[in-house]
Amino acid sequence: MSTAVETASSAVIVAIDGPSGTGKSSTSKAVAAKLGLSYLDTGAQYRAITWWMLNNGIDVSSPAEIATAAAKPVIVSGTDPSAPTITVDGEDASGPIRTQEVTSKVSAVSAVPGVRTIITELQRSIAAGAEGGIVVEGRDIGTTVLPDADIKIFLTASPEARAARRSGEVKGSDLAATREALIRRDAADSGRKTSPLAKADDAVEVDTTELTLQQVIECVVTLVEEKRTAA
């Protein structure tokens, strides 16, 4: 099956990958808003299916049970960068999917091939339907989901910088514990057999450790505009 996504000639598909805490979501939303593109947070979709499984008594330590249930929930992602939404079976899931319980289980659920197949197809269909172009953020967008994306960007940052950012988002969190959790998540995401977290060969790597969010946004906008001009 072809993985190419066809859109209008003026549209641009931007794949932004990288681990947690690199500024991926904030950057992706801002870039999409600035350039008039749609926006998709693929991590939210994996969180949504994890939340559904936890709510429906699925044993998330059993890959077989996860795979059997994977096609049941109906996940709908809104692609407005100024107000992205996500629902599961018609219920707003934007808050519940950010709980610590979901965070601790999402790597295990998203590593199951059956889950990745279903979510990847959903992501491709959303990208194909974005007539004006789209920014898609995740961990395997440039390598697996949209290998023909017009531009691929891989954000990185030191574990210390990422932990500080993530701790700032969660009140009362322990910096050292956050750093260790991020490193464990990296290992799980990079080590899974199906669609691991990885930098595409043709991706532009942007180290955000020493950059402000605004600087990262400007850098990515410039890269996308250069690509558009050259097209």
Side-chain angles (χ1 to χ4, degrees):
M1 189 193 76
S2 172
T3 58
V5 175
E6 295 178 8
T7 58
S9 57
S10 60
V12 62
I13 293 179
V14 183
I16 299 183
D17 290 308
S20 301
T22 54
K24 202 168 60 215
S25 292
S26 300
T27 299
S28 299
K29 279 186 279 195
V31 168
K34 206 162 188 176
L35 297 176
L37 303 172
S38 296
Y39 160 76
L40 177 61
D41 175 359
T42 63
Q45 295 174 320
Y46 285 107
R47 284 176 170 273
I49 199 167
T50 301
W51 174 68
W52 181 90
M53 291 195 180
L54 291 169
N55 268 11
N56 285 272
I58 306 301
D59 180 1
V60 294
S61 67
S62 166
E65 201 167 323
I66 291 170
T68 300
K72 293 179 180 178
V74 176
I75 298 169
V76 178
S77 297
T79 57
D80 178 352
S82 63
T85 58
I86 187 159
T87 63
V88 182
D89 296 340
E91 182 179 350
D92 177 17
S94 54
I97 64 172
R98 302 295 171 185
T99 63
Q100 186 54 47
E101 184 184 21
V102 171
T103 298
S104 67
K105 305 296 185 187
V106 66
S107 283
V109 172
S110 62
V112 175
V115 170
R116 299 206 76 81
T117 297
I118 287 166
I119 300 294
T120 295
E121 288 303 317
L122 175 60
Q123 291 161 1
R124 288 177 180 157
S125 69
I126 291 169
E131 294 179 1
I134 191 168
V135 176
V136 183
E137 62 138 311
R139 286 169 167 76
D140 65 341
I141 311 306
T143 53
T144 302
V145 180
L146 301 170
D148 298 323
D150 297 297
I151 184 162
K152 303 173 187 178
I153 294 163
F154 193 86
L155 299 184
T156 64
S158 70
E160 290 73 22
R162 292 165 52 210
R165 291 168 187 165
R166 189 47 55 92
S167 291
E169 295 170 5
V170 184
K171 289 180 181 176
S173 59
D174 177 85
L175 188 60
T178 301
R179 181 180 180 277
E180 290 307 311
L182 286 171
I183 291 171
R184 284 197 302 273
R185 177 80 193 268
D186 288 352
D189 290 346
S190 301
R192 65 173 177 247
K193 291 181 180 178
T194 306
S195 303
L197 164 67
K199 175 178 172 285
D201 292 338
D202 53 348
V204 178
E205 185 168 327
V206 178
D207 188 334
T208 70
T209 303
E210 303 294 337
L211 301 177
T212 65
L213 175 60
Q214 197 54 45
Q215 287 172 323
V216 178
I217 292 165
E218 287 170 6
C219 174
V220 175
V221 166
T222 299
L223 288 168
V224 175
E225 287 180 332
E226 286 175 353
K227 185 69 177 182
R228 269 179 158 175
T229 304

Short mmCIF file of all heavy atoms in Angstrom, two decimals, residues 47 51 86 92-100 102:
data_model
loop_
_atom_site.label_atom_id
_atom_site.label_comp_id
_atom_site.label_asym_id
_atom_site.label_seq_id
_atom_site.Cartn_x
_atom_site.Cartn_y
_atom_site.Cartn_z
N ARG A 47 -2.42 8.40 23.54
CA ARG A 47 -2.91 8.59 24.90
C ARG A 47 -4.40 8.29 24.98
O ARG A 47 -4.88 7.70 25.96
CB ARG A 47 -2.65 10.04 25.35
CG ARG A 47 -1.21 10.32 25.71
CD ARG A 47 -0.98 11.79 26.04
NE ARG A 47 0.34 12.01 26.60
CZ ARG A 47 0.66 11.89 27.88
NH1 ARG A 47 -0.29 11.56 28.76
NH2 ARG A 47 1.89 12.08 28.31
N TRP A 51 -6.14 5.63 27.38
CA TRP A 51 -7.16 6.03 28.34
C TRP A 51 -8.41 5.18 28.18
O TRP A 51 -8.99 4.71 29.17
CB TRP A 51 -7.49 7.52 28.14
CG TRP A 51 -8.63 8.03 28.96
CD1 TRP A 51 -8.66 8.18 30.32
CD2 TRP A 51 -9.91 8.46 28.48
NE1 TRP A 51 -9.89 8.68 30.72
CE2 TRP A 51 -10.67 8.86 29.61
CE3 TRP A 51 -10.48 8.56 27.22
CZ2 TRP A 51 -11.97 9.35 29.49
CZ3 TRP A 51 -11.78 9.06 27.10
CH2 TRP A 51 -12.51 9.43 28.24
N ILE A 86 -9.73 16.41 20.99
CA ILE A 86 -9.72 14.97 20.78
C ILE A 86 -10.87 14.35 21.56
O ILE A 86 -11.09 14.67 22.73
CB ILE A 86 -8.37 14.32 21.16
CG1 ILE A 86 -8.35 12.84 20.75
CG2 ILE A 86 -8.03 14.51 22.64
CD1 ILE A 86 -6.97 12.26 20.62
N ASP A 92 -15.18 14.14 25.23
CA ASP A 92 -13.97 14.95 25.25
C ASP A 92 -12.92 14.27 26.12
O ASP A 92 -13.14 14.01 27.30
CB ASP A 92 -14.30 16.34 25.81
CG ASP A 92 -13.06 17.23 25.92
OD1 ASP A 92 -12.04 16.91 25.31
OD2 ASP A 92 -13.14 18.25 26.64
N ALA A 93 -11.77 13.99 25.54
CA ALA A 93 -10.72 13.27 26.26
C ALA A 93 -9.48 14.13 26.49
O ALA A 93 -8.47 13.65 27.00
CB ALA A 93 -10.33 12.01 25.50
N SER A 94 -9.54 15.41 26.13
CA SER A 94 -8.34 16.26 26.17
C SER A 94 -7.74 16.38 27.57
O SER A 94 -6.51 16.45 27.71
CB SER A 94 -8.66 17.64 25.61
OG SER A 94 -9.77 18.22 26.29
N GLY A 95 -8.57 16.37 28.60
CA GLY A 95 -8.05 16.44 29.97
C GLY A 95 -7.63 15.09 30.51
O GLY A 95 -6.48 14.91 30.96
N PRO A 96 -8.52 14.10 30.45
CA PRO A 96 -8.22 12.78 31.02
C PRO A 96 -6.97 12.10 30.45
O PRO A 96 -6.31 11.33 31.15
CB PRO A 96 -9.47 11.97 30.69
CG PRO A 96 -10.56 12.98 30.57
CD PRO A 96 -9.92 14.20 30.01
N ILE A 97 -6.63 12.37 29.19
CA ILE A 97 -5.48 11.67 28.59
C ILE A 97 -4.15 12.18 29.12
O ILE A 97 -3.11 11.58 28.85
CB ILE A 97 -5.48 11.75 27.05
CG1 ILE A 97 -5.31 13.20 26.58
CG2 ILE A 97 -6.74 11.11 26.48
CD1 ILE A 97 -5.10 13.33 25.08
N ARG A 98 -4.17 13.27 29.90
CA ARG A 98 -2.92 13.84 30.42
C ARG A 98 -2.61 13.40 31.84
O ARG A 98 -1.68 13.91 32.46
CB ARG A 98 -2.98 15.37 30.35
CG ARG A 98 -3.22 15.93 28.95
CD ARG A 98 -2.09 15.64 28.00
NE ARG A 98 -2.42 16.00 26.62
CZ ARG A 98 -1.64 15.76 25.57
NH1 ARG A 98 -0.46 15.18 25.76
NH2 ARG A 98 -2.02 16.09 24.36
N THR A 99 -3.38 12.46 32.39
CA THR A 99 -3.14 12.01 33.75
C THR A 99 -1.86 11.18 33.84
O THR A 99 -1.39 10.63 32.84
CB THR A 99 -4.31 11.14 34.26
OG1 THR A 99 -4.38 9.97 33.45
CG2 THR A 99 -5.63 11.90 34.21
N GLN A 100 -1.32 11.08 35.04
CA GLN A 100 -0.10 10.31 35.25
C GLN A 100 -0.32 8.84 34.93
O GLN A 100 0.59 8.16 34.43
CB GLN A 100 0.38 10.47 36.70
CG GLN A 100 1.73 9.81 36.98
CD GLN A 100 2.82 10.27 36.03
OE1 GLN A 100 2.99 11.46 35.79
NE2 GLN A 100 3.57 9.32 35.46
N VAL A 102 -2.23 7.51 32.59
CA VAL A 102 -2.12 7.34 31.14
C VAL A 102 -0.66 7.49 30.71
O VAL A 102 -0.15 6.69 29.92
CB VAL A 102 -3.02 8.35 30.41
CG1 VAL A 102 -2.74 8.32 28.90
CG2 VAL A 102 -4.50 8.05 30.67
#
